[in-house]
Amino acid sequence: QVQLVESGGGLVQAGGSLRLSCAAPGRTFSSYAMGWFRQAPGKEREFVAAISWFGGSTYYADSVKGRFTISRDNAKNTVYLQMNSLKPEDTAVYYCAAGAQVVTSPNYWGQGTQVTVSS
């Protein structure tokens, strides 16, 4: 079992930045692709970004391209999501995920961290 722990969420004004972190304490996750998803109130969970296990390939939803950057540090068992130029529509609970096919079928999920962007 892989336990994922997100942090870094909070309240920010539109145009601001936040960095989310996802750690897998006590467990190496270097063999998994990692991803971020989000779920806004009343909406289904949606894909945000993903990074391959070695960090060489990244993937983004069209809605966040050019504003969000996913990265990972396998030595620290941590994946990051740098979010810039935040918009009110980015408000959601953000979830970290891990798995071989993380974009389509993640095997593991974190508990989520709230991101609220005020206008």
Side-chain angles (χ1 to χ4, degrees), residues 9 16 24 47 51 56 78 97 119:
F47 167 74
I51 188 167
T78 302
S119 56

Side-chain angles (χ1 to χ4, degrees), residues 31-111:
S31 60
Y32 294 108
M34 302 294 297
W36 288 95
F37 292 72
R38 67 187 182 187
Q39 187 168 19
K43 295 187 177 181
E44 293 187 353
R45 190 174 299 187
E46 64 176 3
F47 167 74
V48 175
I51 188 167
S52 60
W53 68 270
F54 60 94
S57 297
T58 56
Y59 311 89
Y60 297 95
D62 288 344
S63 59
V64 306
K65 279 181 183 176
R67 300 188 299 121
F68 291 11
T69 302
I70 188 170
S71 61
R72 67 189 296 163
D73 184 339
N74 286 345
K76 296 182 178 179
N77 288 345
T78 302
V79 63
Y80 305 97
L81 185 68
Q82 178 66 44
M83 305 185 294
N84 298 329
S85 302
L86 283 161
K87 305 175 181 180
E89 52 262 44
D90 294 318
T91 295
V93 177
Y94 283 70
Y95 296 90
C96 178
Q101 302 294 331
V102 70
V103 175
T104 54
S105 53
N107 297 104
Y108 306 103
W109 292 94
Q111 81 288 350

